[in-house]
């Protein structure tokens, strides 16, 4: 005895329903329903092309388009019922289309396979995600550049090995992240350019015998061109890998900034404050103000990097063309982009919200003999001393200051002259942290005038890109 196949969309070859566990592992509708907007866009473009090529009638194409528009409205309104028995978003949309317009719905899948259909939908989704990410990254850059301009002269310690190194300004520090994010945007833009080819029309793997116009569907969907090889068209997921790689690097940048915010907020540093809007309290310790938003932003990189690594593992051993393994490309990709969007919004909000403690930063900038390099440079410049000798002399002076428990600018001239007799009182002009940062006027340096100029340049660039100037 046989039972009726569960999925009438593909069940002609089968006499029995799949096992319950087979349905469970096979169905993707629980997550790929996110592709519904892209699926409908692709189907409308495909139907219009089929009619233009004379493969289906124009009346059928109009009915298909009207039905798809109604389905889109139902999905937007939250009234569309997705069925797990129909496996995926493509089958759900097509089944509902049949309910709405009858037999004409069956003509939509002419010259098309779920293989090129899902490849097209997924490319459209990733492209849409990249466009949204670029705008969000610009918002973070805006927040950073505005804060940098406001604090172009606010002195803070610069660190290497998390040890005081040389004084910088808070604005200069923030602009480093503006530059990082610019590279992130460049990576996403490069990924978008490479993904912007249409797989639609590749069919299952070999193309189709119908006289389709792939240039038409590519243009209708905003692609630059159709993909040149049908095997590649249905089996390529480089576009998702590349976007996830860019997302991972971006998340790492935000994680580094989040880590700094966490450190800066500790009482031991006390460099910045966040308001109640981006902090939480403790259930037992009433004095606590926890930087949870920064900590969660720092943690999200794990999910995003895992999505990239997961898809690498899925793809690494797959022969051409399509394998069901590739169903695993979507869920983690959706989650990664969702996580990144959340991180970007949180970071933009925190950056705008945080207020630096200029006094604490200034005090910390003067500790740890952070102007020692300025002293060495002075010895080279004024006494014509070779830098390696100046480095040694400066080290001896730092040792003398350390023995007396004073900062460099508090060490007496006689103590310095005991190490190097040619040193004059003019040396004190370079030993304050303010003079140190003012002297760093080389391109890309931390001099306040440099920082203010660069922050204004970035703000103008961002405004121009948005069409505001």
């Amino acid at each position: 005895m046989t039972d009726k196949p569960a999925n009438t969309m593909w069940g002609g070859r089968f006499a029995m329903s799949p096992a319950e566990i087979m349905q469970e592992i096979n169905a993707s509708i629980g997550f790929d329903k996110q592709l519904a907007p892209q699926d409908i866009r692709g189907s409308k473009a495909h139907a219009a092309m089929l009619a233009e090529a004379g493969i289906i009638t124009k009346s059928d194409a109009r009915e298909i388009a009207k039905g798809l528009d109604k389905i889109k409205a139902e999905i937007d309104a939250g009234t569309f019922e997705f069925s797990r028995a129909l496996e995926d978003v493509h089958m759900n949309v097509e089944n509902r289309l049949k309910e709405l317009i009858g037999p004409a719905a069956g003509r939509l899948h002419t010259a098309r396979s779920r293989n090129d259909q899902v490849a097209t939908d997924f490319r459209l989704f990733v492209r849409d995600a990249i466009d949204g990410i670029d705008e969000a990254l610009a918002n973070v850059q805006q927040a950073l550049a505005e804060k940098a301009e406001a604090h172009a002269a606010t002195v803070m310690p610069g660190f290497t090995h998390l040890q005081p190194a040389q004084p910088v300004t808070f604005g200069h520090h923030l602009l480093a992240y503006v530059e990082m994010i610019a590279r992130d945007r460049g990576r996403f833009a490069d990924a978008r350019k490479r993904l912007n080819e249409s797989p639609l029309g590749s069919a299952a793997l070999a193309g189709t015998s119908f006289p389709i116009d792939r240039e038409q569907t590519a243009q209708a969907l905003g692609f630059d061109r159709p993909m040149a090889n049908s095997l590649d068209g249905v089996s390529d997921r480089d576009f998702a890998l590349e976007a996830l790689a860019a997302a991972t690097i971006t998340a790492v940048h935000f994680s580094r900034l989040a880590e700094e915010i966490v450190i800066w907020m500790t009482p031991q540093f006390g460099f910045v404050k966040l308001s109640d809007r981006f902090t939480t309290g403790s259930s037992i310790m009433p004095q606590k103000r926890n930087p949870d938003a920064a900590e969660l932003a720092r943690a999200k990189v794990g999910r995003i990097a895992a999505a990239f690594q997961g898809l690498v593992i899925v793809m690494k051993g797959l022969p051409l063309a399509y394998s069901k393994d590739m169903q695993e490309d979507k869920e983690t990709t959706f989650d990664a982009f969702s996580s990144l969007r959340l991180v970007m919004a949180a970071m933009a909000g925190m950056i705008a919200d945080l207020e630096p403690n200029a006094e604490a930063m200034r005090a910390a900038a003067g500790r740890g003999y952070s102007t020692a390099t300025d002293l060495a440079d002075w010895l080279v410049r004024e006494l014509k001393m070779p830098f390696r000798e100046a480095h040694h002399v400066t080290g001896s002076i730092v040792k003398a200051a350390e023995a007396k428990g004073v900062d460099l600018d508090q060490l007496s001239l006689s103590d310095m002259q005991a190490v190097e007799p040619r040193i004059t009182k003019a040396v004190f002009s370079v030993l304050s942290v303010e003079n140190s940062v003012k002297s760093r006027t080389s391109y890309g340096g931390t001099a306040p005038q440099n920082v203010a100029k660069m922050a204004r340049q970035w703000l103008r660039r961002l405004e121009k890109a948005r069409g505001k100037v």
Side-chain angles (χ1 to χ4, degrees):
M1 180 178 178
T2 61
D3 62 2
K4 185 179 179 182
N7 192 327
T8 59
M9 307 298 282
W10 53 257
R13 168 67 176 81
F14 293 80
M16 298 178 66
S17 297
E20 184 176 344
I21 192 62
M22 176 60 191
Q23 289 181 297
E24 185 65 24
I25 196 172
N26 192 49
S28 59
I29 190 60
F31 53 85
D32 73 11
K33 60 186 177 183
Q34 288 192 52
L35 294 176
Q38 290 81 16
D39 192 69
I40 290 169
R41 279 160 57 192
S43 289
K44 289 180 71 175
H46 184 66
M49 180 277 295
L50 292 176
E52 191 69 26
I55 299 170
I56 66 173
T57 66
K58 291 189 176 181
S59 62
D60 279 348
R62 284 193 295 270
E63 287 301 305
I64 289 170
K66 285 169 58 178
L68 290 170
D69 286 339
K70 182 170 177 55
I71 293 170
K72 175 67 163 54
E74 291 175 352
I75 292 171
D76 291 344
T79 60
F80 188 93
E81 293 186 12
F82 290 98
S83 168
R84 191 168 184 80
L86 291 169
E87 296 182 15
D88 58 31
V89 65
H90 322 297
M91 293 298 195
N92 272 265
V93 169
E94 187 174 335
N95 186 68
R96 178 58 177 150
L97 185 63
K98 183 179 179 181
E99 292 174 351
L100 290 172
I101 69 171
R107 305 189 192 284
L108 172 60
H109 211 52
T110 307
R112 186 178 72 172
S113 163
R114 274 194 295 178
N115 293 354
D116 64 335
Q117 187 178 359
V118 69
T120 303
D121 293 355
F122 197 29
R123 275 180 187 262
L124 289 171
F125 175 89
V126 173
R127 190 179 70 185
D128 291 344
I130 288 173
D131 292 344
I133 287 168
D134 184 72
E135 183 176 354
L137 287 174
N139 291 337
V140 181
Q141 284 183 301
Q142 180 89 19
L144 286 164
E146 287 175 354
K147 191 71 71 173
E149 183 181 29
H151 293 282
T154 300
V155 177
M156 69 175 291
F159 298 94
T160 61
H161 309 276
L162 207 55
Q163 301 295 316
Q166 292 177 292
V168 296
T169 72
F170 188 52
H172 190 59
H173 195 107
L174 295 179
L175 286 180
Y177 286 100
V178 175
E179 297 291 337
M180 291 183 199
I181 294 170
R183 294 193 295 274
D184 293 329
R185 294 179 69 186
R187 275 182 282 271
F188 278 114
D190 289 344
R192 190 191 194 283
K193 184 176 180 180
R194 272 183 287 278
L195 77 75
N196 208 37
E197 296 183 346
S198 173
L200 192 57
S202 297
L205 75 162
T208 178
S209 60
F210 287 96
I212 61 173
D213 186 345
R214 295 190 62 207
E215 292 283 354
Q216 180 182 330
T217 50
Q219 184 176 5
L221 294 171
F223 290 112
D224 293 331
R225 63 191 68 83
M227 295 183 73
N229 184 285
S230 59
L231 286 167
D232 186 41
V234 299
S235 63
D236 170 55
R237 293 299 183 270
D238 291 358
F239 64 93
L241 283 168
E242 192 169 1
L244 287 171
T248 299
I249 297 171
T250 301
V252 167
H253 290 158
F254 284 131
S255 182
R256 295 180 72 181
L257 178 54
E259 168 71 3
E260 293 192 311
I261 291 172
V262 171
I263 292 172
W264 292 342
M265 282 190 65
T266 61
Q268 292 84 351
F269 276 74
F271 284 3
V272 301
K273 291 182 179 179
L274 283 173
S275 75
D276 296 352
R277 298 175 66 240
F278 290 96
T279 54
T280 64
S282 165
S283 64
I284 190 172
M285 296 170 285
Q287 83 281 9
K288 294 293 294 296
R289 181 186 291 276
N290 299 322
D292 284 4
E295 291 171 353
L296 289 167
R298 181 178 60 186
K300 292 292 185 185
V301 68
R303 299 170 74 115
I304 297 166
F308 169 70
Q309 187 64 31
L311 186 52
V312 168
I313 298 302
V314 167
M315 298 301 298
K316 72 173 182 63
L318 293 187
L320 296 179
Y322 181 82
S323 297
K324 196 71 170 186
D325 310 52
M326 293 163 70
Q327 184 167 286
E328 291 296 310
D329 60 1
K330 297 171 198 66
E331 192 170 10
T332 53
T333 301
F334 296 158
D335 180 77
F337 289 144
S338 177
S339 295
L340 183 57
R341 283 192 295 270
L342 188 58
V343 167
M344 292 185 294
M347 293 304 298
M350 277 190 288
I351 291 158
D353 184 76
L354 68 82
E355 286 300 327
N357 183 339
E359 186 177 342
M361 284 184 171
R362 166 63 181 80
R367 291 195 289 267
Y369 309 103
S370 62
T371 58
T373 304
D374 297 274
L375 172 56
D377 289 346
W378 185 90
L379 294 172
V380 171
R381 190 169 53 249
E382 300 298 327
L383 303 186
K384 310 304 179 187
M385 191 179 289
F387 181 80
R388 285 302 168 200
E389 183 182 346
H391 188 284
H392 179 78
V393 169
T394 299
S396 298
I397 292 173
V398 167
K399 185 177 181 180
E402 195 172 34
K404 289 181 175 288
V406 298
D407 292 331
L408 278 179
D409 61 348
Q410 296 172 329
L411 192 66
S412 69
L413 178 61
S414 60
D415 285 333
M416 293 188 200
Q417 289 174 335
V419 177
E420 171 49 65
R422 292 180 294 164
I423 294 176
T424 68
K425 64 180 180 180
V427 73
F428 290 98
S429 67
V430 302
L431 296 183
S432 73
V433 292
E434 287 81 9
N435 286 340
S436 175
V437 296
K438 286 179 182 177
S439 72
R440 306 293 171 179
T441 57
S442 59
Y443 180 76
T446 191
Q449 65 191 56
N450 286 21
V451 175
K453 180 180 178 182
M454 188 61 71
R456 287 192 293 268
Q457 286 179 356
W458 267 112
L459 289 170
R460 284 195 297 270
R461 192 183 308 177
L462 291 165
E463 289 171 359
K464 184 177 180 181
R466 289 169 166 157
K468 292 184 178 180
V469 294

